[in-house]
């Protein structure tokens, strides 16, 4: 049986190569394209296609459709929900956009740019910065993730509270549709109300409706002044109150507001051993606040006056404002290091949850209590983007219970957290998407009206279900 | 024949009344619901449905579907493209949302609200302001337009450069679908990446895919400080340069940047006879600039320092900063009065165009030259939202040529302007939508791939074409 499948796969791959030439990879070279970011899953594929331009993407899509093969579009492989990893190796082809790396245009006068799907986010941000321009999407994976993947997953990150999700930064798209035709919508218009906005369908669709090959985006003036502070607080509710106050007092100039528990410092030092802590890890809660802007507003003064009044009122009990870019970077390293620290502790339960801001503190309290009541030896780590109601409530299993129980604890803690989440009308995926990993939890909660509408759209745009089959929703 | 139709219509209306009861209007009472904002078109309908809640909308949709009647969803009737006016009186029913006026919730802690489709925009803004909250959508018709219509048309307005179109303010939707089922998506989550974002389809669809019955929206802190200035400039290119500079110098605190020609003052005084002019109408170009914010940023000081440097560099040659709310209101009256002044001059050619910001000045120069070359007696009035690349380039016909030639001049000037617009890859509808009025121009320019995709979506969601038939696109 395995022999047969292999034989079929090889034959299919050869037919693809005959049509598409040297953009087809097979054999051992495919391994890295069939693995997920965490390294938990290693899959396979009939072939990997590496097109260099939109025409080659289109040709690849047509060739796969003819052979009845599913296509898994792939960006920088930093996704966390298996959206870009094949789940039926003998029926699927990976199509990576990694060779489409042209920045087609940066227009400083228009505050816009056109970039291909395979451009790495950080590379684009750097290029824009050379012209005094700023692309505000900012996330941990920005050194690897690609703009096509960012748009396909509607990526979030740390600046959403000010600049919105990726969706709000997109002005236009070029998409290869399931029949190989090209949807050419690379406009840079700010206002364009010519009927239904079709590009919205592809943002967040994780490649299930077509393959995004290029993107037109908004740019902003590069913030010349950034004030970064790490603040000690008495509680998560105080953090939320501080956020509300910051919104009013700092106008729209707050660009990040991250919440962390004291354990974050320990985890960060486990993740990055030589990390310097700028503040004692002895308080119940911490907030990382960033205010930024260019031009005539005195950002440092604004931060100082904001903190002064917050300390007077007891909302902030201790804090440090970065005095240099190096110090600011060091503060952000804590936020990033805590992820690495969690990873070093081994397998754990990760979530990407959102609830209405007004219910965030209650949600965290109830969900953590629910977990600890059933699993007293586990450790809860809740942190995230307070301003968006987006919390990563993770659970580190009790390792003393032995290796075998870890998976059981992960499963159990996920169920406990999701049960609380459902009572709060929250989202099981605030920013990571659905992919294959969250599909069961997604579908289980999908109201019938919405399911029917999703299937109607999918059947209308991709009647053969060629595009990322197995991702988000199944055919039946 | 007319008798027959009338007989059929009356019979159909009676069947609707039998099913739906007292929400059905017929006869002369329908007239106002079948007329457009400008009073150019008076149509008719089988009946007007005035549901009080979502269940009654749903019942109305089912009843119409059974009788094979098209439904024209209707808001505050301030649309400018005939999107809410029946075009087949014997086959269509108007469904007005005007009785669904409940503000279901304003949550100050969550910076969000849930409101029904028939709530008048200004009434909602006022209610939010009572809690120190701000809903940034702002347009001339805000005293009449309704939130459901705003979302269905993805309304724009004067604050788009800072807060985005209506789409960017929407967190969730409740929609009655063509089969009468209810899409219940009234979430207030800021981040929710659970697959394809279906609500986006209905925003800007002008009721062609379903009827929006309620909306969940973002709110912001009410700006406590607003600085408004009217500035005299040497040219439109200088206005664009000033806008770019304001973006950099005033961070994200600029909330409006409107461009006006000197003729605006004359038109405004024709529209509002006792209007006081705060500045002499003798310069080639004018900009209305608004900076706003709350809390710790000194908005007045920011405006003063911004203008100081702009005047030093000769970008601004004269100007006045409002010293009171009354003065600020007076400045805005010029912007609004010029519309009334144009209307008083009689029929004229109106446009709602957008081009990339970097090409705005060139576009206006070329389009005005094209019109004046062929129609030397006509008057061009170009004004609009510079920051969005959105210009209303209107043409007032040469009245000395006689009444009969006015329509011909309007038609001709539209063709001349659109020909230039096509060369600039602009949009024929920046913010007003397509409706029935712009359908021919829209369809004529629609690429085939896009047309096929639009039809596939429409057929998937509304297979019987019950929803606003005749709007945006035709079945064949």
């Amino acid at each position: 049986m395995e022999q047969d499948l292999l034989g079929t796969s090889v034959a299919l791959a050869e037919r693809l190569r005959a049509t598409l030439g040297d953009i087809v990879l097979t054999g051992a070279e495919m391994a890295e394209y069939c693995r997920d970011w965490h390294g938990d899953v290693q899959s396979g594929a009939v072939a990997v296609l590496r097109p260099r331009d939109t025409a080659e993407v289109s040709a690849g899509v047509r060739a796969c459709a003819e052979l009845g093969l599913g296509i898994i579009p792939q960006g920088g492989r930093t996704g966390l929900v298996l959206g870009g990893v094949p789940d039926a190796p003998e029926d699927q082809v990976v199509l990576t956009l990694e060779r489409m790396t042209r920045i087609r245009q940066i227009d400083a006068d228009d505050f816009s740019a056109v970039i291909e799907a395979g451009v790495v986010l950080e590379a684009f941000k750097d290029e824009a910065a050379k012209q005094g321009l700023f692309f505000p999407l900012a996330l941990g994976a920005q050194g690897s993730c690609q703009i096509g993947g960012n748009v396909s997953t509607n990526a979030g990150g740390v600046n959403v509270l000010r600049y919105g999700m990726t969706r709000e930064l997109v002005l236009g798209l070029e998409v290869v549709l399931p029949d190989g035709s090209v949807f050419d919508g690379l406009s840079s218009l700010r206002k364009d109300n010519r009927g239904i906005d079709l590009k919205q369908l592809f943002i967040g669709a994780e490649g299930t409706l077509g393959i995004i090959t290029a993107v037109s985006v908004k740019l902003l003036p590069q913030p010349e002044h950034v004030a970064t502070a790490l603040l000690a607080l008495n509680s998560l509710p105080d953090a939320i109150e501080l956020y509300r106050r910051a919104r009013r007092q700092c106008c729209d100039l707050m660009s990040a507001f991250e919440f962390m528990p004291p354990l974050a410092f320990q985890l960060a030092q486990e993740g990055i051993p030589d990390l310097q802590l700028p503040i004692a890890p002895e308080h119940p809660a911490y907030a990382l606040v960033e205010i930024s802007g260019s031009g005539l507003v005195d950002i440092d003064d604004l931060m100082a006056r904001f903190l002064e009044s917050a300390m007077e009122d007891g909302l902030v009990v201790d804090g440090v404002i970065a005095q240099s870019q190096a110090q600011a970077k060091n503060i952000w390293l804590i936020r990033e290091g805590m992820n690495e620290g969690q990873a070093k502790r081994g397998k754990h339960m990760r979530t990407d949850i959102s609830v209405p801001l007004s219910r965030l503190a209650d949600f965290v309290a109830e969900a953590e209590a629910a977990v600890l009541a059933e699993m007293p030896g586990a450790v809860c780590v809740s942190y995230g983007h307070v301003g968006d109601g987006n919390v990563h409530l993770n659970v580190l299993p009790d390792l003393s219970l032995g290796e075998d129980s870890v998976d059981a604890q992960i499963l159990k803690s996920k169920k406990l957290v999701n049960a609380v989440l459902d009572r709060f009308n929250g989202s099981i995926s605030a920013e990571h998407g659905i992919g294959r990993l969250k599909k069961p939890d997604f579908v289980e909660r999908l109201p019938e009206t919405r399911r029917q509408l999703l299937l109607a759209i999918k059947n209308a745009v991709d009647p053969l279900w060629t595009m990322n089959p197995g991702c988000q929703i199944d055919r039946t």
Side-chain angles (χ1 to χ4, degrees), chain A:
Chain A
M1 177 69 177
E2 202 171 73
Q3 195 65 30
D4 279 3
L5 284 177
L6 199 63
T8 313
S9 287
V10 169
L12 286 166
E14 282 315 309
R15 289 182 64 181
L16 285 173
R17 205 188 303 275
T19 314
L20 302 170
D22 66 357
I23 68 167
V24 181
L25 280 190
T26 54
E29 289 180 311
M30 297 197 293
E32 61 179 303
Y33 298 94
C34 300
R35 194 184 297 138
D36 82 311
W37 180 245
H38 287 115
D40 294 343
V41 176
Q42 175 69 60
S43 185
V46 170
V48 172
L49 307 185
R50 298 173 68 237
R52 284 160 290 217
D53 57 30
T54 306
E56 288 189 346
V57 174
S58 187
V61 166
R62 286 183 215 268
C64 290
E66 261 176 41
L67 297 175
L69 292 168
I71 299 177
I72 316 294
Q74 194 175 80
R77 296 197 296 277
T78 62
L80 299 173
V81 293
L82 306 180
V85 182
D87 57 6
E90 67 277 18
D91 292 325
Q92 295 173 345
V93 163
V94 170
L95 189 150
T96 170
L97 282 302
E98 68 185 2
R99 290 165 95 180
M100 290 191 62
T101 57
R102 271 201 314 145
I103 295 177
R104 293 189 191 166
Q105 183 185 317
I106 293 180
D107 186 337
D109 285 344
D110 194 46
F111 292 99
S112 71
V114 177
I115 45 182
E116 292 184 345
V119 173
V120 169
L121 174 56
E122 197 163 71
F124 172 55
K125 287 168 71 98
D126 290 347
E127 208 54 43
K130 286 181 192 164
Q131 300 195 35
L133 295 164
F134 177 56
F135 185 62
L137 184 62
L139 50 159
Q142 66 187 30
S144 310
C145 67
Q146 296 167 7
I147 195 73
N150 296 146
V151 176
S152 285
T153 59
N154 187 28
V158 296
N159 287 349
V160 170
L161 78 175
R162 178 158 169 186
Y163 303 104
M165 303 285 278
T166 302
R167 183 183 304 279
E168 292 182 44
L169 305 171
V170 173
L171 293 171
L173 291 182
E174 179 187 272
V175 184
V176 173
L177 299 176
D179 67 355
S181 63
V182 179
F183 173 86
D184 178 8
L186 281 179
S187 159
S188 74
L189 300 175
R190 305 283 149 159
K191 289 170 94 169
D192 186 7
N193 259 349
R194 282 179 289 179
I196 294 165
D197 189 3
L198 292 170
K199 72 171 178 289
Q200 301 294 340
L201 273 178
F202 303 101
I203 303 172
E206 298 179 73
T208 58
L209 298 179
I211 301 175
I212 295 172
T213 48
V215 185
S216 165
V217 295
K218 291 180 196 170
L219 294 172
L220 289 94
Q222 181 76 8
E224 297 157 357
H225 315 296
V226 181
T228 310
L230 182 61
L231 309 173
L233 317 170
N234 281 323
S235 66
L236 175 55
D238 274 9
I240 294 171
E241 188 51 39
L242 185 70
Y243 164 76
R244 288 199 192 106
R245 181 190 280 231
R247 283 206 72 176
R248 290 187 187 272
Q249 295 196 342
C250 304
C251 298
D252 295 340
L253 303 177
M254 178 168 54
S255 43
F257 194 113
E258 298 288 305
F259 168 75
M260 293 182 286
L263 183 61
F265 296 94
Q266 192 183 329
L267 288 166
Q269 285 191 313
E270 291 172 21
I272 306 172
D274 57 348
L275 185 72
Q276 299 293 313
L277 297 188
I279 193 169
E282 65 198 9
H283 297 281
Y286 293 84
L288 193 173
V289 180
E290 188 187 90
I291 301 173
S292 58
S294 58
L296 299 170
V297 177
D298 187 338
I299 296 295
D300 291 332
D301 177 66
L302 179 61
M303 176 67 96
R305 286 191 296 141
F306 165 62
L307 289 186
E308 192 178 49
S309 90
M311 291 185 93
E312 265 171 28
D313 297 345
L315 267 181
V316 171
V317 293
D318 193 8
V320 55
I321 302 180
Q323 299 301 312
S324 65
Q325 283 195 2
Q327 285 184 14
K329 200 175 166 190
N330 186 59
I331 288 176
W332 277 105
L333 267 185
I334 299 167
R335 173 69 174 78
E336 287 157 30
M338 69 179 293
N339 282 339
E340 295 178 39
Q342 289 175 77
K344 280 194 181 164
R345 287 202 181 183
K347 267 181 154 178
H348 56 279
M349 197 280 283
R350 293 182 290 264
T351 65
D352 168 36
I353 278 168
S354 66
V355 294
L357 178 60
S358 53
R359 308 200 70 196
L360 183 62
D362 288 345
F363 166 73
V364 170
E366 288 189 34
E368 289 194 351
V371 169
L372 296 176
E374 300 259 339
M375 303 160 58
V379 174
C380 293
V381 191
S382 297
Y383 62 101
H385 320 299
V386 161
D388 317 312
N390 180 192
V391 59
H392 300 292
L393 192 164
N394 295 356
V395 177
L396 312 181
D398 181 352
L399 295 178
S400 71
L401 296 179
E403 187 76 23
D404 286 352
S405 99
V406 165
D407 286 343
Q409 287 185 69
I410 287 176
L411 202 65
K412 187 169 185 181
S413 59
K414 196 182 82 168
K415 283 195 175 161
L416 290 166
V417 170
N418 280 350
V420 178
L421 184 66
D422 290 340
R423 282 198 285 111
F424 279 76
N425 293 317
S427 170
I428 57 158
S429 183
E431 55 180 10
H432 294 170
I434 299 300
R436 289 166 177 82
L437 188 67
K438 295 200 175 181
K439 184 171 61 176
D441 287 334
F442 169 61
V443 171
E444 189 186 317
R445 288 165 175 77
L446 197 57
E448 183 56 20
T449 301
R450 200 175 278 246
R451 198 178 77 87
Q452 293 296 344
L453 196 53
L454 274 178
L455 289 174
I457 300 293
K458 173 74 174 173
N459 284 321
V461 181
D462 182 22
L464 303 176
W465 286 64
T466 320
M467 287 294 162
N468 212 354
C471 182
Q472 290 196 355
I473 193 166
D474 286 318
R475 199 162 188 167
T476 48

